[in-house]
Amino acid sequence: MARLIVEQAGVGVTVQDFGRKFFRSLGVPLSGALDPLWLAAANALAQARENTAGLEILLAAPALRVESGPLRLGLAGELTGILTSADGSQRSVAGWSGVVLRDGDVLSLRLTRGPAYLGFSGGLDLPEVLGSRSTFLRAGFGGLNGRALEKGDALICAAAEGQGFSAPPFTHENEKIARGKIRFIPGPQEARFTRDALRLFAVSDWRVGSDSDRMGMRLSGPRLTHGPAGANIVSDGATPGAIQVPGDGQPIVLRADCQTSGGYAKIGCVISADLGRLAHFCPGEAMNFLSVSHDEAAQARNDLREGFARWRAGVAPAGADWDSNRLWSENLISGATSGD
């Protein structure tokens, strides 16, 4: 087994996998990666299974030191690094790549924009809680004792030799959809809103609030008015992607850590193909919504799966994990001369 020591914890760094899919009837949120496909991409670059638990990095990236290795990591997202070897030599680590770390190596990561993901060749040796290693911060379980990464933590994972891998960035973008267009299916309580509110929701710019978190994304824009029945409903099921509109008329898009039921009328639900895209909007940025049918949502899901499969097939060896300084530092052949 390989052992990684957390030298710097970063901010908003948690263990996530694909979440707890079978306990929502008991009130347990799904949790898991905000962008599951980017986690799957990090795992592909680390040569691990797609749903293997990795690190989700939201605000600031950590620095990790290998105490025993070797270990292969995969970087997905706007994430780069500086690898400092035990002898003090340094080299850069590109984003969308896999890298092999050896004893004494320190990988100092830099996040340009979250979220980003760090995959591990053999996954993280952590206990499952209700079938998942995902961290649920509000209840304090899963991952590393239900909390974010802290300085001094030790991460245990399977050792892996070999070489790194690389691929171009994987994007969710659909060429037929403008960057800010998030597709949604209307309902189930669209009858609770005025006709003008339904029109405003589809044509307006919505700003992401600074108080957004893994539970929900708060949006600000024109006030959406409810009909005579009002904003409150008898609590019913809620799911990531559901767009609730409370009495103040400002939408809340539920995310991975959302509650399993709620009592606000829902004007629509973001389609599964665009849930990962939601994760990449930062506070203050604007988004727009586009109404689609169930058939269009199903086609978008299939297109995304096929696109990821094509991207996964293009992951290729990046060449040996050597730079020139490291190569010349090794005594590869004894007794060689310059030939002069």
Side-chain angles (χ1 to χ4, degrees):
M1 301 297 286
R3 180 181 174 88
L4 273 176
I5 305 300
V6 179
E7 301 245 309
Q8 296 177 15
V11 180
V13 182
T14 57
V15 175
Q16 301 293 342
D17 54 23
F18 283 5
R20 298 177 176 84
K21 300 182 178 180
F22 306 109
F23 297 91
R24 290 174 54 77
S25 63
L26 303 177
V28 180
L30 178 67
S31 296
L34 289 175
D35 189 340
L37 279 188
W38 275 28
L39 172 60
N43 285 329
L45 291 164
Q47 298 295 285
R49 295 191 306 273
E50 287 187 359
N51 63 347
T52 300
L55 292 182
E56 179 178 83
I57 305 169
L58 293 182
L59 298 174
L64 306 169
R65 173 172 52 85
V66 180
E67 201 168 77
S68 62
L71 171 67
R72 185 166 51 241
L73 305 180
L75 287 68
E78 296 188 34
L79 185 68
T80 57
I82 297 294
L83 194 157
T84 304
S85 299
D87 62 6
S89 61
Q90 292 186 331
R91 62 187 175 102
S92 60
V93 176
W96 296 99
S97 69
V99 59
V100 176
L101 306 183
R102 297 172 176 82
D103 291 357
D105 286 354
V106 176
L107 180 61
S108 300
L109 295 165
R110 180 178 181 273
L111 180 69
T112 303
R113 181 187 180 96
Y117 294 89
L118 194 64
F120 299 82
S121 52
L124 295 172
D125 186 20
L126 292 167
E128 289 189 350
V129 179
L130 298 177
S132 169
R133 295 178 174 85
S134 287
T135 307
F136 180 38
L137 293 171
R138 289 177 181 268
F141 63 79
L144 286 163
N145 301 315
R147 57 169 174 77
L149 222 63
E150 293 180 357
K151 183 177 181 179
D153 283 338
L155 303 174
I156 309 299
C157 28
E161 263 289 6
Q163 61 187 128
F165 291 78
S166 65
F170 175 76
T171 175
H172 294 273
E173 298 300 337
N174 183 328
E175 293 179 359
K176 299 178 182 179
I177 304 294
R179 181 190 182 280
K181 294 283 187 182
I182 296 295
R183 292 163 289 184
F184 76 102
I185 295 174
Q189 285 99 30
E190 70 266 37
R192 287 275 183 151
F193 299 89
T194 65
R195 184 169 298 178
D196 187 56
L198 295 172
R199 180 189 64 81
L200 275 176
F201 180 70
V203 301
S204 300
D205 289 339
W206 298 97
R207 296 278 172 188
V208 179
S210 59
D211 52 354
S212 301
D213 58 16
R214 281 182 50 87
M215 185 174 181
M217 176 182 284
R218 293 183 177 272
L219 305 178
S220 62
R223 189 176 190 273
L224 302 178
T225 54
H226 297 82
N232 296 323
I233 61 172
V234 175
S235 290
D236 65 0
T239 185
I243 308 167
Q244 294 184 325
V245 184
D248 65 359
Q250 299 299 284
I252 302 171
V253 185
L254 301 185
R255 303 176 83 180
D257 283 351
C258 74
Q259 69 276 21
T260 58
S261 63
Y264 293 135
K266 294 177 283 295
I267 199 169
C269 189
V270 174
I271 67 173
S272 61
D274 282 357
L275 282 177
R277 291 181 59 210
L278 280 176
H280 301 280
F281 284 87
C282 296
E285 293 184 340
M287 69 172 65
N288 307 100
F289 290 91
L290 177 68
S291 175
V292 297
S293 67
H294 285 83
D295 287 344
E296 289 172 317
Q299 184 61 53
R301 178 190 59 200
N302 293 338
D303 290 345
L304 185 62
R305 288 176 175 173
E306 291 172 3
F308 184 80
R310 288 192 298 271
W311 177 90
R312 177 67 180 84
V315 174
D321 280 310
W322 295 95
D323 62 12
S324 59
N325 290 332
R326 188 164 191 168
L327 180 64
W328 286 110
S329 71
E330 296 292 329
N331 183 19
L332 300 179
I333 303 174
S334 62
T337 69
S338 67
D340 294 337

